[in-house]
Amino acid sequence: KQEVTQIPAALSVPEGENLVLNCSFTDSAIYNLQWFRQDPGKGLTSLLLIQSSQREQTSGRLNASLDKSSGRSTLYIAASQPGDSATYLCAVKNSGYALNFGKGTSLLVTP
Amino acid sequence: GAVVSQHPSWVICKSGTSVKIECRSLDFQATTMFWYRQFPKQSLMLMATSNEGSKATYEQGVEKDKFLINHASLTLSTLTVTSAHPEDSSFYICSAERRAGTEAFFGQGTRLTVV
């Protein structure tokens, strides 16, 4: 059974800092990996999707990398802003199945 | 990106009553939709896979007679929580994909409170 772990569980940084969120998974035979953002009491917003054949994806200030062989992904957020405060979820899909989610990293960016 | 609409966004019901939650893919057809549940401070846990025109596949520990799933069309799946109890209070959220294995899009979620 796929296990997804996210470190750290919580993170507080001052505005402007670059930061890295980590995600690891136990079964490297994945189909794709997706990073989401969840605001309190809200649904999920898809940030980046990385297919198993890809190494990274970028969108604006966000960059996600994937090392399938070692079972790791990182989400890099550049020049963080208070509006980035949210919970970030990493989810892994094995072929034909639903997403397996980590518990998330709760990010607080202070002005 | 694609749009998945979930309704209602929140509902309060009395213990023993049933609640229906709808999940619609607005601009694409989805043969498969997924239902998740999220308890406070926890991550999303898959409840069941909803397949258009056939029975849903439930995860271990999820009561199929309590959580009824119907996927009657390629754009609509419904989750009915029957005889709801306070322990069913949770955040329920659905997702859909244009094609299997592609990007998953999520609804806004439904906050269910059973009193």
Side-chain angles (χ1 to χ4, degrees):
Chain A
K1 184 180 183 294
Q2 179 73 272
E3 300 285 343
V4 182
T5 303
Q6 290 186 246
I7 295 173
L11 182 63
S12 180
V13 299
E15 182 177 9
E17 276 202 8
N18 302 323
L19 54 100
V20 175
L21 308 182
N22 297 291
C23 173
S24 62
F25 47 93
T26 55
D27 183 352
S28 61
I30 67 170
Y31 201 79
N32 61 43
L33 182 146
Q34 214 166 335
W35 283 92
F36 295 90
R37 168 185 173 139
Q38 185 176 30
D39 292 285
K42 304 292 185 182
L44 275 65
T45 300
S46 179
L47 298 174
L48 290 165
L49 168 71
I50 309 178
Q51 299 292 352
S52 62
S53 59
Q54 297 174 323
R55 298 283 292 184
E56 66 176 346
Q57 284 287 333
T58 297
S59 176
R61 295 183 292 108
L62 305 179
N63 175 277
S65 67
L66 173 64
D67 185 342
K68 198 171 65 169
S69 61
S70 67
R72 296 175 188 272
S73 176
T74 61
L75 177 66
Y76 176 82
I77 302 177
S80 58
Q81 303 171 357
D84 295 330
S85 299
T87 296
Y88 291 81
L89 295 166
C90 169
V92 174
K93 174 184 275 288
N94 294 91
S95 180
Y97 296 97
L99 290 167
N100 284 285
F101 283 84
K103 291 186 176 181
T105 293
S106 178
L107 172 65
L108 175 64
V109 181
T110 56
Chain B
V3 179
V4 175
S5 177
Q6 191 172 336
H7 178 82
S9 57
W10 61 270
V11 58
I12 301 173
C13 72
K14 291 185 178 180
S15 185
T17 62
S18 295
V19 173
K20 179 184 285 188
I21 302 169
E22 292 187 348
C23 179
R24 294 180 184 271
S25 54
L26 297 185
D27 53 356
F28 66 100
Q29 295 182 331
T31 55
T32 303
M33 292 184 178
F34 300 96
W35 287 95
Y36 297 82
R37 180 167 53 184
Q38 185 180 34
F39 290 107
K41 305 292 186 183
Q42 298 295 314
S43 190
L44 280 75
M45 297 299 294
L46 179 67
M47 297 177 66
T49 301
S50 172
N51 304 299
E52 188 269 335
S54 65
K55 292 182 179 180
T57 304
Y58 291 82
E59 294 300 296
Q60 189 173 9
V62 178
E63 299 175 59
K64 63 179 181 181
D65 294 330
K66 181 172 185 61
F67 299 99
L68 301 180
I69 291 174
N70 184 282
H71 196 150
S73 76
L74 288 171
T75 59
L76 173 65
S77 175
T78 60
L79 168 67
T80 301
V81 183
T82 63
S83 186
H85 290 285
E87 57 264 31
D88 298 323
S89 298
S90 186
F91 188 67
Y92 294 86
I93 190 166
C94 68
S95 76
E97 301 166 358
R98 290 181 186 274
R99 297 182 305 279
T102 59
E103 187 173 4
F105 297 95
F106 282 77
Q108 306 95 313
T110 297
R111 172 74 58 193
L112 170 64
T113 301
V114 184
V115 297

